[in-house]
Amino acid sequence: MRKSLLVVIAITFLFGISVPARAQGQNAASATLYNVDTSTFPTLTGFVDVTDITGIFASGLKPEAVTVLENGQPLPADSFNEIAVPLQVVVAFNQGEALAAQNANGISRFQRVSQIIQQWAQVRPADLPDDMSLVSQTGPIINHSSPADFVVGLQGFDPDLRTTTPNLQSLATALDVVSGQTPRLGMKRAVLFITPQMENADLAVQLEPLLEKAVENNIRVYVWYVDANTTFTTTSAALFNNLAIQTGGTMFQFSGEERFPDLETYFSPLRRVYTLSYTSHLNISGEHNLTLQVTLPTGGNVTANTQPFSLALQPPNPFPVAPAAQITRQAPEDDPFNTERLLPESQQIDIIVEFPDGYERPLARTVLYVDGIAVDENTAEPFTSFTWDLTPYNISGEHQITVEAVDTLGLSKTSMALPVILTVIRPPSGPAALLAKYRSQLTFGAILIAGLVLFAILLGGRLRFLSLRSIQEQRRVQNDPLTQSIPAIIEPKTGPLPKEKSSKPAAKARNAKAAKTSEQEAAASLVWLQVDGQIAAIPPIPLNGSELIFGTDPVQCSNILDDPSISATHAGIRATDDGGYLLQDFQSIAGTWINYEPVPREGCRLEHGDMVNFGQIRFRFMLRTPPQISPPKITLVSPEE
């Protein structure tokens, strides 16, 4: 070992290969920051690989253990989470005759190495789909495949080992495969380089650019040096060992008898990584630097490498969303003469805030200006809506509206002025306006007065009607033969009554005439009456037939009554089976009355002497043969008794 270390130091001195800080501190803790992402600015993210003094991934760190240095300014980490990620690994075979050497069982070194790699690929963690590739001097054989496809490709790989001269082409191809963007952010990259001894005087010079590329892209190179044990201390072995050390890997030497290391011990720490996020305080465009300090669980601090990044920041750009170009203030529709209140009293103005730099971020404040004077301000959500108070504006005119937006970084911008015409329509004034303003009250008062006058007229008419009805009732009683008084005949107390003179011839004449008339007259009739109740000089209406209909319709009525108060089919009189008469009203407008009472819906039976009104036409119902009325019995009382 002492001799090998001297060889490495001598080679480094002779060929001038520089050892970066990572290689120099291979036995010290380290932190590596990469893939800084500014797409979610002001939140910046990145991946951090932290190893302890043994080179093993330092697990269990919290955000409190991390201090972000943005352009040297310390900031806290918002999150620092440990996650498991797949690995991007390339197996590169540097073909040569030394790989074809066989042991006593006839198994070549290449076959043995291939078996070990296949076994590892088949038992690696199934939940982490590693991205695997296989390359040789001829180029890629399996490129970015799954572990299962990689095993199939490796099983079918049968290189010509005896005729191929070892060179660095397979290593260069492997670095190219993993130098691009990884399939998933945070994936780490590694190359397993299987090589024999290379007898090349320019080997150190040829390795230098490959070493720089690996370090620059954070690619770990693990070297399996496969050759006779007599070559383990050669310059070639020392240079490959130096390559592995400087990239963070290790080298294993195999001659055919040595025990292979477990590949998962190489790659397991590479499947853990931290995701970092923090809130940037930058508010200027340009190039910036980012690094961080990590306090390890075992004590001590490590500082990560510095990662440059660039920002192109612009202030937020606010502008109104289609505001009204003209606003009209006037009295309310339901109170057009109100001089104290004009509508609308306010106007809502909505805005949109864009971020031209593509970094959408929170707002701290938005302000609405009218004619250069702030009229509304938002310091909390919602920032995109304003209320413009219009009550101070009583004169028409044009006003200039602008809005300002300030983000949490302190960047601000004011929109271009937008003209808005405010028209104020004042309600009319004067006597005409006063009359129009109280038009409804005046109209109501006029209607009320007219109603009172109409009520007085109706009340007077009702009183006259009641008075007239009283008079008519008195006349009806006076004219009703049934209610007339009969002169009393006083008989002397003693002596026979005087005998009437015989008048048989006259009686016979009257009876004969009555008999003749009874054949021509109906059993009952309606006698026309005047307004004062006296019988009119108009022939009575005989009630012949089973039913008579009174009205103005000559088609439907059997008796025509010509009067404006009479309906088309006003009323009817129907003869009953018992020889009586039933008076019915046909829902006439003016109504049908009997003895000053309206005829009920079911009708009313007529009695001799009843007074019948069809509207304003009056009749008396008379039977040809009035019913017998018992004369009143009068008892005279002598004054002496």
Side-chain angles (χ1 to χ4, degrees):
M1 285 296 296
R2 185 183 185 90
K3 184 176 180 181
S4 298
L5 181 59
L6 293 174
V7 171
V8 172
I9 295 174
I11 292 173
T12 302
F13 176 80
L14 292 173
F15 294 98
I17 299 177
S18 61
V19 180
R22 175 176 176 177
Q24 293 172 357
Q26 56 182 316
N27 293 326
S30 66
T32 304
L33 172 66
Y34 55 97
N35 286 346
V36 176
D37 184 12
T38 62
S39 61
T40 58
F41 181 85
T43 299
L44 269 62
T45 61
F47 293 92
V48 184
D49 184 17
V50 182
T51 59
D52 58 19
I53 58 176
T54 63
I56 303 301
F57 182 79
S59 181
L61 295 176
K62 301 299 181 182
E64 297 78 14
V66 179
T67 300
V68 179
L69 298 175
E70 185 180 66
N71 291 343
Q73 179 185 4
L75 299 173
D78 296 334
S79 66
F80 196 69
N81 300 322
E82 181 180 345
I83 62 172
V85 292
L87 174 66
Q88 190 176 39
V89 58
V90 179
V91 177
F93 278 98
N94 185 14
Q95 303 170 40
E97 186 176 2
L99 298 179
Q102 299 178 352
N103 60 13
N105 297 322
I107 300 175
S108 67
R109 293 169 178 161
F110 168 78
Q111 292 173 333
R112 184 62 180 144
V113 169
S114 180
Q115 289 174 359
I116 295 298
I117 296 174
Q118 291 179 42
Q119 291 173 5
W120 163 78
Q122 291 171 344
V123 299
R124 48 155 302 283
D127 58 337
L128 296 175
D130 291 340
D131 179 87
M132 304 187 68
S133 302
L134 175 64
V135 301
S136 67
Q137 283 100 316
T138 60
I141 300 170
I142 298 293
N143 201 14
H144 300 295
S145 67
S146 65
D149 292 338
F150 172 82
V151 171
V152 174
L154 183 56
Q155 290 174 347
F157 180 47
D158 186 18
D160 185 3
L161 301 173
R162 297 187 180 278
T163 61
T164 305
T165 301
N167 56 62
L168 297 178
Q169 182 59 46
S170 60
L171 177 60
T173 303
L175 294 175
D176 289 339
V177 169
V178 294
S179 292
Q181 179 64 48
T182 57
R184 175 177 169 180
L185 288 177
M187 291 180 66
K188 299 178 184 178
R189 297 171 285 197
V191 173
L192 178 59
F193 182 49
I194 297 98
T195 181
Q197 177 189 8
M198 288 183 59
E199 296 179 355
N200 185 347
D202 297 329
L203 181 60
V205 177
Q206 295 173 2
L207 278 175
E208 185 174 0
L210 300 178
L211 173 61
E212 292 177 354
K213 185 172 185 178
V215 172
E216 179 181 354
N217 291 279
N218 200 32
I219 303 171
R220 296 177 184 248
V221 179
Y222 298 89
V223 179
W224 278 7
Y225 189 86
V226 181
D227 209 322
N229 55 13
T230 57
T231 66
F232 288 176
T233 58
T234 61
T235 302
S236 174
L239 290 174
F240 287 131
N241 186 48
N242 185 54
L243 171 67
I245 292 173
Q246 294 193 63
T247 59
T250 59
M251 188 176 79
F252 164 68
Q253 294 174 319
F254 178 70
S255 64
E257 302 298 332
E258 292 80 7
R259 181 183 178 86
F260 282 97
D262 183 3
L263 280 175
E264 192 59 25
T265 60
Y266 293 168
F267 302 138
S268 178
L270 302 183
R271 291 197 176 93
R272 308 296 294 178
V273 71
Y274 286 101
T275 59
L276 166 72
S277 69
Y278 78 98
T279 301
S280 174
H281 287 192
L282 296 174
N283 58 7
I284 58 174
S285 301
E287 295 294 328
H288 305 280
N289 295 320
L290 180 66
T291 186
L292 66 157
Q293 292 178 344
V294 181
T295 301
L296 298 175
T298 57
N301 296 329
V302 292
T303 302
N305 57 306
T306 300
Q307 280 287 327
F309 64 94
S310 61
L311 283 177
L313 298 180
Q314 297 183 37
N317 183 26
F319 56 89
V321 181
Q326 181 171 348
I327 302 173
T328 301
R329 298 196 69 212
Q330 56 188 351
E333 292 185 2
D334 56 350
D335 190 8
F337 299 97
N338 189 337
T339 58
E340 302 298 328
R341 184 185 181 196
L342 300 180
L343 297 180
E345 295 181 337
S346 63
Q347 176 68 34
Q348 180 175 335
I349 296 179
D350 296 326
I351 67 171
I352 290 178
V353 180
E354 293 181 344
F355 293 89
D357 53 16
Y359 301 128
E360 190 164 345
R361 49 197 178 269
L363 296 173
R365 184 169 60 100
T366 54
V367 185
L368 172 66
Y369 296 93
V370 177
D371 299 329
I373 301 175
V375 297
D376 195 14
E377 180 180 10
N378 296 317
T379 57
E381 291 287 354
F383 288 99
T384 57
S385 182
F386 297 99
T387 300
W388 179 16
D389 183 12
L390 300 178
T391 55
Y393 301 90
N394 297 317
I395 301 176
S396 300
E398 182 177 290
H399 302 275
Q400 304 295 322
I401 293 180
T402 57
V403 290
E404 179 188 15
V406 183
D407 62 17
T408 53
L409 301 177
L411 300 177
S412 66
K413 185 177 181 180
T414 302
S415 68
M416 296 180 60
L418 182 70
V420 174
I421 298 176
L422 183 62
T423 303
V424 179
I425 302 177
R426 304 293 302 179
S429 58
L434 183 64
L435 292 176
K437 180 177 181 179
Y438 297 101
R439 177 178 55 190
S440 58
Q441 293 87 338
L442 295 175
T443 302
F444 177 77
I447 293 174
L448 181 61
I449 294 174
L452 293 175
V453 173
L454 179 61
F455 175 76
I457 294 173
L458 293 177
L459 182 61
R462 178 64 177 173
L463 295 176
R464 288 199 307 273
F465 173 76
L466 294 176
S467 176
L468 180 60
R469 182 175 180 179
S470 176
I471 295 173
Q472 290 175 349
E473 181 66 20
Q474 294 176 4
R475 289 181 179 178
R476 183 185 71 82
V477 173
Q478 293 174 359
N479 296 330
D480 192 345
L482 300 178
T483 60
Q484 300 301 315
S485 60
I486 300 175
I489 301 175
I490 303 175
E491 296 181 355
K493 294 182 178 181
T494 59
L497 292 174
K499 297 183 179 178
E500 285 183 272
K501 295 182 179 180
S502 176
S503 57
K504 291 183 178 178
K508 290 181 180 179
R510 286 195 301 272
N511 293 336
K513 183 177 181 181
K516 183 178 179 180
T517 304
S518 63
E519 294 177 358
Q520 298 175 354
E521 293 179 348
S525 61
L526 293 178
V527 178
W528 295 76
L529 297 180
Q530 297 178 1
V531 176
D532 57 0
Q534 302 298 320
I535 298 175
I538 301 175
I541 299 175
L543 302 181
N544 295 319
S546 59
E547 184 177 13
L548 283 80
I549 299 176
F550 299 84
T552 60
D553 189 347
V555 176
Q556 302 183 62
C557 300
S558 57
N559 293 79
I560 305 302
L561 300 179
D562 187 14
D563 189 270
S565 65
I566 304 301
S567 300
T569 55
H570 195 98
I573 299 177
R574 178 169 56 85
T576 61
D577 296 336
D578 59 353
Y581 293 87
L582 183 67
L583 174 63
Q584 290 180 306
D585 179 75
F586 294 160
Q587 297 182 353
S588 61
I589 297 176
T592 303
W593 307 75
I594 180 169
N595 298 328
Y596 301 101
E597 295 292 334
V599 175
R601 181 181 298 273
E602 65 273 13
C604 182
R605 188 180 180 89
L606 291 172
E607 300 292 340
H608 177 69
D610 286 343
M611 184 177 293
V612 178
N613 279 71
F614 297 131
Q616 295 182 355
I617 301 178
R618 184 179 303 171
F619 295 93
R620 187 176 296 281
F621 174 76
M622 301 293 290
L623 293 174
R624 183 168 54 84
T625 304
Q628 294 295 329
I629 301 175
S630 299
K633 184 178 180 180
I634 303 174
T635 303
L636 298 178
V637 179
S638 173
E640 299 177 355
E641 295 182 356

